[in-house]
Amino acid sequence: MTAAWTLSGLKAQQGDKQVLDAASLVVSPGEVVGVVGPNGAGKTSLLRAGLGLLPRTAGEVWLGDRRLETLTVQARAARVGYLPQDRRLAWNLPAEQVASLGAVDLPEADALAVARERLARVGAGDLATRRVLEMSGGERARVLLARLLTTRAPLLVADEPIAGLDPDAQLLTLDLLRKEAESGAGVVVTLHDLSLAARCCDRLLVIEGGRIVSEGAPIAALSPEVLARVFKLDGALVETPAGPVLAARRL
Amino acid sequence: MSPLRLCLGMLCLLVLAAVMAVLLGETSFVIGQYMEAVAHPGSPPGEVLWTIRAPRVAMAALVGAALGLAGATMQGLLRNPLADPGVLGVSAVSGLGAAVAIASGLAAVPGAIELAALAGALAAGGAVVTIVARLREPEALILLGVAVSAFGGALTALVFNLAPSPVAIAEVLAWLMGSVENRDWTDSFKALVPMAIGAALCLKAGRGLRMLTLGEEAAAMSGLPMSRLRVYAVAGAALLTGAAVAGAGVIGFVGLAAPHMVRALVKDDPRQVLWPSALAGALLLVLADLAARLSPTEQELKLGVVTALFGAPVFALLAWRASRSWRA
């Protein structure tokens, strides 16, 4: 099966700082991959370089069976949907219109219909006609998640999609992304909550200083050694009936 | 309200204002004279209405529409309700271009002032958008606009300083204060070409402006050719501003205020606001010119002075509201 996203040996710089150093990642259809690491480790840079938003100094990116550089902007949008970390919106549009911006390939009426369905899916059906700047941060996050789902792309990339959300909304967001994966999409998320990352992702990548330092199934990727070296935590992921939970204290 | 219905409503208001502006002026007529003007356009009242007032009203409407559309485009492009060609310094640099052309004696060369104003607007518009790509905060954008305006103003002061004669200084000053006095139909037709091209470019950029609601990166990944649409928007807004400055001098605040008059009626949509902003700008400037003509002052007020007197408080109000949202 062709991978949904292949990043191979990516290097990137911002100013004088090397933000990515030979970072590689393969995302298959149907899996949820989590990217974790301390602040400034290079999680967002990895996503941005992999999407062509941050210039690379080395490495290759493939979206499905095509190199990123060979794709038109339309073809790229058909292959990947992106939810950036920055959730600021410029204008006070109705939620359904914001969500419909994910479907520029459709006529406006069809895009709105898809947007309304996705809003209902993220539990924001009743917000469809409300203005986004009059919503709480959590409500707005749901609208933007619906916008991501409206893209109907086979690869969904979300940068900190649960930041600032209450626990229920965090779980709902990750459950929805899981459902997209079960429908065949490849999903990549950056997360700070290691317990949720371990519970909701099939595979984790741990990044530090722009390098992938650990990769694999959650419990293996977040071994006590990795927790100590990368996150400066003394502890381990503990299996519970609700899934793995991080039990740790600062070193 | 549907955008079409809003545009039709605005158009009715504009026609009403234009008719009023043609009928009213310094010289008063009685009903019989108005009928004579309609029946015999070559009669003395007809000359006043059709040769003096009507072309002036047409030019005010065109310039207002151009500034309203340019303002709405820049606000959408820069994702900032305080953006407009005046606030960002595009008008000032365009005015500088016209001032250089007048002071250097090129005014006699057909099209020289227009070309100089257009070149100034394109240069400033390009510079602002290039720099803005690196500045994400609205405060930084306004400061940049202040800097560009100040630089344009400083260079214009230099033009005054080096002007060969007091006559040249007076001509430049009159131009910079903005007016549609003594414009004829030819002036309107000359302005129409760059304005039509500019308007077409801005309207073509509409989808991109709406997508920019999500921010630069989400828009870049949206599937729209954002780089191309951005060029359309900048070139369109600069052409409209340059043509407006060439046609009527520097007129501030119309580009800022016009979109805000109609934005709520199109649910804040940066694409749907374009046409209504053009119509609102035309309406504003036709009324402002009428106010300038009917002002009980010995000297007719300059159009740029009238719009600044009304526009500056509007800008202050908008800045105050915007600053509250930045803090939120």
Side-chain angles (χ1 to χ4, degrees):
Chain A
M1 188 188 293
T2 310
W5 202 20
T6 308
L7 314 181
S8 165
L10 297 195
K11 291 187 179 186
Q13 276 189 293
Q14 274 185 323
D16 291 337
K17 191 187 172 198
Q18 181 95 19
V19 290
L20 284 181
D21 188 5
S24 298
L25 163 68
V26 178
V27 181
S28 301
E31 72 169 342
V32 180
V33 176
V35 181
V36 296
N39 288 326
K43 301 185 291 294
T44 300
S45 298
L46 178 69
L47 303 190
R48 293 179 69 235
L51 296 169
L53 295 170
L54 175 68
R56 308 187 298 276
T57 52
E60 276 191 3
V61 176
W62 292 72
L63 277 169
D65 57 356
R66 294 275 302 274
R67 275 183 67 159
L68 180 67
E69 288 72 22
T70 65
L71 294 169
T72 61
V73 287
Q74 291 91 342
R76 183 178 62 175
R79 286 166 186 248
V80 58
Y82 177 48
L83 178 64
Q85 193 177 340
D86 187 354
R87 292 186 192 144
R88 281 180 299 179
L89 293 165
W91 305 107
N92 199 10
L93 298 173
E96 60 187 10
Q97 196 161 32
V98 171
S100 76
L101 294 175
V104 290
D105 56 319
L106 298 178
E108 236 167 89
D110 295 349
L112 273 174
V114 175
R116 285 186 198 114
E117 193 276 325
R118 298 304 195 268
L119 280 168
R121 205 185 284 186
V122 302
D126 55 333
L127 301 178
T129 55
R130 272 197 41 208
R131 306 291 196 91
V132 284
L133 298 187
E134 289 152 21
M135 292 178 177
S136 69
E139 289 172 329
R140 207 181 300 169
R142 287 187 190 207
V143 174
L144 291 175
L145 180 64
R147 203 276 309 169
L148 176 70
L149 302 184
T150 305
T151 61
R152 297 151 290 130
L155 172 67
L156 300 175
V157 179
D159 195 358
E160 300 200 17
I162 61 169
L165 298 184
D166 61 39
D168 176 56
Q170 290 184 353
L171 288 172
L172 173 76
T173 301
L174 292 172
D175 281 350
L176 284 164
L177 291 171
R178 158 68 57 198
K179 279 187 188 146
E180 291 300 313
E182 285 167 1
S183 310
V187 175
V188 182
V189 287
T190 64
L191 297 166
H192 273 294
D193 187 321
L194 299 183
S195 295
L196 277 178
R199 195 187 310 175
C200 300
C201 298
D202 299 312
R203 207 149 51 82
L204 291 182
L205 252 78
V206 182
I207 189 165
E208 185 192 25
R211 283 176 163 271
I212 309 288
V213 294
S214 179
E215 184 179 359
I219 302 251
L222 288 176
S223 65
E225 296 73 35
V226 171
L227 288 172
R229 198 176 72 241
V230 177
F231 295 96
K232 314 289 181 248
L233 293 173
D234 175 21
L237 285 171
V238 180
E239 284 286 8
T240 73
V245 171
L246 178 68
R249 58 184 178 145
R250 293 180 69 208
L251 272 175
Chain B
M1 188 184 293
S2 82
L4 182 64
R5 198 178 286 182
L6 174 62
C7 285
L8 286 175
M10 297 291 303
L11 198 60
C12 289
L13 285 176
L14 176 60
V15 169
L16 208 65
V19 169
M20 205 164 70
V22 170
L23 295 180
L24 301 177
E26 204 180 357
T27 311
S28 304
F29 294 118
V30 293
I31 296 282
Q33 287 171 305
Y34 284 126
M35 290 173 73
E36 187 188 352
V38 174
H40 306 287
S43 62
E47 282 287 320
V48 172
L49 261 58
W50 309 125
T51 314
I52 298 173
R53 288 185 195 164
R56 177 179 182 148
V57 172
M59 183 55 108
L62 277 178
V63 169
L67 292 175
L69 181 53
T73 303
M74 295 205 102
Q75 287 174 13
L77 179 68
L78 302 171
R79 310 172 68 222
N80 191 315
L82 295 180
D84 101 313
V87 174
L88 295 178
V90 178
S91 299
V93 180
S94 180
L96 167 69
V100 169
I102 295 168
S104 57
L106 289 173
V109 179
I113 297 177
E114 286 83 352
L115 272 179
L118 284 174
L122 283 168
V128 165
V129 173
T130 306
I131 300 170
V132 156
R134 295 162 188 273
L135 301 174
R136 295 191 175 247
E137 299 307 317
E139 297 92 330
L141 174 66
I142 303 303
L143 289 175
L144 172 72
V146 170
V148 173
S149 273
F151 191 58
L155 290 176
T156 305
L158 188 66
V159 171
F160 279 118
N161 201 173
L162 301 176
S165 70
V167 178
I169 292 177
E171 278 180 23
V172 173
L173 188 60
W175 188 273
L176 291 179
M177 288 167 80
S179 173
V180 285
E181 204 177 348
N182 300 326
R183 299 299 188 272
D184 59 26
W185 290 111
T186 318
D187 294 320
S188 292
F189 288 124
K190 273 200 286 189
L192 205 52
V193 177
M195 284 181 184
I197 298 171
L201 289 170
C202 288
L203 296 169
K204 198 147 176 66
R207 285 187 89 191
L209 300 182
R210 183 189 279 167
M211 189 57 75
L212 278 171
T213 300
L214 297 171
E216 297 286 341
E217 297 211 324
M221 295 297 298
S222 68
L224 290 183
M226 290 307 297
S227 311
R228 198 190 318 157
L229 294 178
R230 203 183 302 274
V231 171
Y232 289 165
V234 175
L239 270 174
L240 288 166
T241 308
V245 171
V250 178
I251 292 171
F253 298 108
V254 174
L256 177 76
H260 287 281
M261 286 169 60
V262 290
R263 191 177 293 287
L265 299 171
V266 292
K267 295 182 181 170
D268 251 24
D269 186 335
R271 183 186 191 187
Q272 302 284 16
V273 83
L274 295 177
W275 274 114
S277 296
L279 291 165
L283 179 66
L284 268 183
L285 215 55
V286 167
L287 291 176
D289 183 50
L290 183 60
R293 280 193 281 142
L294 297 179
S295 66
T297 50
E298 199 169 310
Q299 291 239 328
E300 184 183 303
L301 289 181
K302 289 287 187 184
L303 192 49
V305 175
V306 176
T307 59
L309 282 173
F310 286 101
V314 172
F315 178 68
L317 182 69
L318 292 172
W320 180 66
R321 276 196 197 161
S323 69
R324 282 195 307 176
S325 73
W326 297 337
R327 283 195 297 267

